[in-house]
Amino acid sequence: MTSAPEGGPEDGGAAFRFQVQPEFHEIPLGIGLDEETFTERMRAYARDYWGDREDWEPLRRMFTAVHAANTQQLAADGVVYQALGVFPIGGTADGTQAPERVSRCTLLISVRELDNPDPALVAAGIVETLARTNDGGEAQLVALPAGPAVVNVAGSRAVWTLPDGEQERFFVRIELWLPFPREDRLLLCCLSTSDAQDLFHYQAVLADIADTLTFTGTEDGTGDSAEAPSAAAANTRERTAYA
């Protein structure tokens, strides 16, 4: 299934393409849209997520308002795609056994300005920079069809003080840093979840997305002239992002 992008060539041109699993529900960012169109897309997203039950309309309205406010800041920070993933864990593919539970994650893809004399050199510099941070993450170089990249896995802990005591929750995030082939820009894919026990599942999810990334406008096997990898594309949705 192919979806229309939010923007268009007049907004800067297609920068890259990628494919996501059908479990992802895209959250509109409103880039290049008028207010009325953006509002309708947010309403459609709320219906897609919560369903059409009439008594849930107040919940859908609140859901729409909260996400609409968040997307404005995300777009200002360079985010070009966001989605909520809802993945059944366990069970069987044919439905004879129901899933044991449902796991959720958030996927953000953003574009950042960065001096990029050579993608391999930039990727090596990102690994070195991440190694010096204090987030306890683990970064390593990887080779993707779209070029050299960096994968970083890190975790965090949040604590809330409640009347009956403290409550803690752990979060994990998987980052993919990918320099553009011939531009001073950097692509950052970040998949985060509070279901820390599903880390390995989400590593595979992001790896499948990474294998489908292609940049447009290049002729060296990293753009439109090369066929997108098909191993993970059999049951995915294609997206074209503008930056």
Side-chain angles (χ1 to χ4, degrees):
M1 173 180 174
T2 302
S3 73
E6 289 190 344
E10 67 275 13
D11 299 319
F16 57 92
R17 293 185 179 131
F18 58 97
Q19 297 172 354
V20 297
Q21 294 82 351
E23 288 83 1
F24 280 104
H25 301 258
E26 184 175 356
I27 307 173
L29 286 167
I31 300 173
L33 299 178
D34 58 72
E35 184 176 352
E36 182 178 352
T37 303
F38 174 57
T39 299
E40 181 51 41
R41 289 199 182 182
M42 286 300 302
R43 289 172 179 168
Y45 166 67
R47 288 193 301 270
D48 177 43
Y49 185 81
W50 290 105
D52 293 322
R53 280 181 50 175
E54 185 176 350
D55 58 328
W56 282 10
E57 178 59 21
L59 179 60
R60 286 193 294 270
R61 288 182 179 178
M62 180 185 69
F63 188 76
T64 298
V66 170
H67 280 286
N70 288 339
T71 57
Q72 295 178 3
Q73 184 59 50
L74 290 173
D77 291 339
V79 174
V80 296
Y81 178 84
Q82 67 168 333
L84 176 66
V86 183
F87 287 83
I89 303 297
T92 56
D94 59 8
T96 56
Q97 294 184 8
E100 300 172 4
R101 56 188 174 82
V102 173
S103 181
R104 291 175 171 80
C105 70
T106 299
L107 175 64
L108 294 177
I109 300 181
S110 59
V111 174
R112 302 183 178 186
E113 301 295 325
L114 181 72
D115 288 339
N116 181 16
D118 176 77
L121 181 63
V122 171
I126 292 172
V127 169
E128 182 68 20
T129 300
L130 291 174
R132 296 176 182 273
T133 64
N134 297 318
D135 62 359
E138 180 180 348
Q140 64 179 22
L141 288 167
V142 296
L144 297 179
V150 178
V151 172
N152 185 54
V153 180
S156 59
R157 172 177 173 265
V159 179
W160 293 272
T161 301
L162 303 175
D164 56 349
E166 289 188 345
Q167 179 181 2
E168 68 175 5
R169 196 162 192 179
F170 292 91
F171 299 85
V172 294
R173 72 180 185 276
I174 311 166
E175 301 170 345
L176 175 70
W177 303 73
L178 178 62
F180 277 64
R182 290 195 178 94
E183 298 180 45
D184 288 335
R185 293 193 287 180
L186 176 73
L187 182 67
L188 173 59
C189 303
C190 182
L191 192 155
S192 58
T193 181
S194 60
D195 295 322
Q197 70 272 27
D198 298 323
L199 172 61
F200 293 126
H201 170 78
Y202 286 122
Q203 284 180 311
V205 167
L206 188 57
D208 284 346
I209 296 173
D211 279 341
T212 69
L213 278 163
T214 57
F215 290 97
T216 66
T218 63
E219 299 176 354
D220 57 355
T222 58
D224 286 341
S225 60
E227 293 185 2
S230 59
N235 191 29
T236 58
R237 296 170 176 162
E238 185 176 84
R239 295 291 185 265
T240 302
Y242 294 83

